[in-house]
Amino acid sequence: MAVATYAEVSWERMSNAVENVRRRLLRAARALDNAHVPYAVAGGNAVAAWVSRVDEAAVRNTQDVDIVLRRADLPAARAALEQAGFVYRHVASIDMFLDGPDAKARDAVHIVFASEKVRADYAAPVPDVSESEVTENFRLLSLNALVRMKLTSFRDKDRVHLRDLMDVGLVDASWLERVPPTLRARLQELLDNPEG
């Protein structure tokens, strides 16, 4: 069995990891905005953006960029993102734009398609890009749409993200009436056990 080798602990490497994700997000958003391609930022960056509106100290870093697109806009998005230096890949039913030809899947913009289910067994499709708002730097998925996406996926990281939203008061018991009935039990589970 091979022994793993590690680099020295470095604040610079930690800071670069966060900054690289931020730059990737802004570069992708700028390319899509300039090409007039409708999109919305989703995933961990959307959670961080919403949490930062209440308490920036509660923001959690994320390793990738998730963007909602309409499938019909993929060709225009591809042209815009490739012009910005991204490299399109379709791997294991996932559409992504690597941050350069030598980048890994972690160094990518991951695409989810609006109004489609990410997985066949999901209770709800991805919200449309129209469920978003313009911020200073990018189009941000609305809080309601983001919460529905996180409740639909409900993986460990989705539950953590939902708890982050709950922790700063953006999501509470009043949301039980805002989410579809098929997702209420999941939200109730988190409300009953906010610490995990």
Side-chain angles (χ1 to χ4, degrees):
M1 184 166 145
V3 176
T5 58
Y6 304 102
E8 290 295 318
V9 172
S10 161
W11 282 110
E12 184 178 356
R13 288 172 59 89
M14 291 186 285
S15 175
N16 285 345
V18 174
E19 185 60 21
N20 287 340
V21 173
R22 186 188 75 80
R23 280 195 301 262
R24 187 174 310 124
L25 168 61
L26 295 177
R27 199 167 96 242
R30 190 167 36 255
L32 294 170
D33 282 332
N34 289 342
H36 306 289
V37 176
Y39 73 94
V41 172
N45 284 296
V47 172
W50 278 103
V51 168
S52 73
R53 289 174 156 184
V54 179
D55 182 359
E56 70 179 24
V59 171
R60 186 182 304 274
N61 295 322
T62 186
Q63 69 182 14
D64 58 16
V65 176
D66 297 308
I67 289 184
V68 178
L69 288 175
R70 293 178 180 138
R71 188 173 290 277
D73 290 327
L74 181 59
R78 181 174 176 175
L81 291 168
E82 286 179 344
Q83 188 173 4
F86 291 96
V87 178
Y88 175 73
R89 291 285 185 270
H90 179 84
V91 180
S93 354
I94 298 171
D95 291 89
M96 67 180 76
F97 290 87
L98 301 176
D99 197 353
D102 300 321
K104 302 173 190 152
R106 285 186 176 171
D107 303 323
V109 175
H110 298 112
I111 303 300
V112 290
F113 290 108
S115 305
E116 297 181 16
K117 290 184 177 183
V118 173
R119 293 176 40 168
D121 62 336
Y122 276 11
V126 173
D128 187 64
V129 296
S130 61
E131 290 191 65
S132 62
E133 64 180 66
V134 177
T135 69
E136 182 179 347
N137 296 304
F138 50 81
R139 288 200 67 84
L140 175 64
L141 201 62
S142 74
L143 184 57
N144 190 291
L146 180 62
V147 169
R148 290 194 324 267
M149 278 189 78
K150 291 292 175 184
L151 287 170
T152 298
S153 297
F154 215 57
R155 300 161 297 179
D156 284 345
K157 69 178 174 180
D158 299 305
R159 292 190 295 271
V160 167
H161 286 153
L162 287 160
R163 286 186 174 105
D164 288 349
L165 295 169
M166 291 166 51
D167 186 52
V168 297
L170 287 167
V171 174
D172 57 26
S174 71
W175 278 76
L176 290 168
E177 297 305 315
R178 297 186 202 183
V179 299
T182 54
L183 300 175
R184 286 181 189 154
R186 290 178 173 184
L187 179 55
Q188 188 65 63
E189 176 185 326
L190 295 176
L191 291 166
D192 290 344
N193 189 15
E195 299 302 317

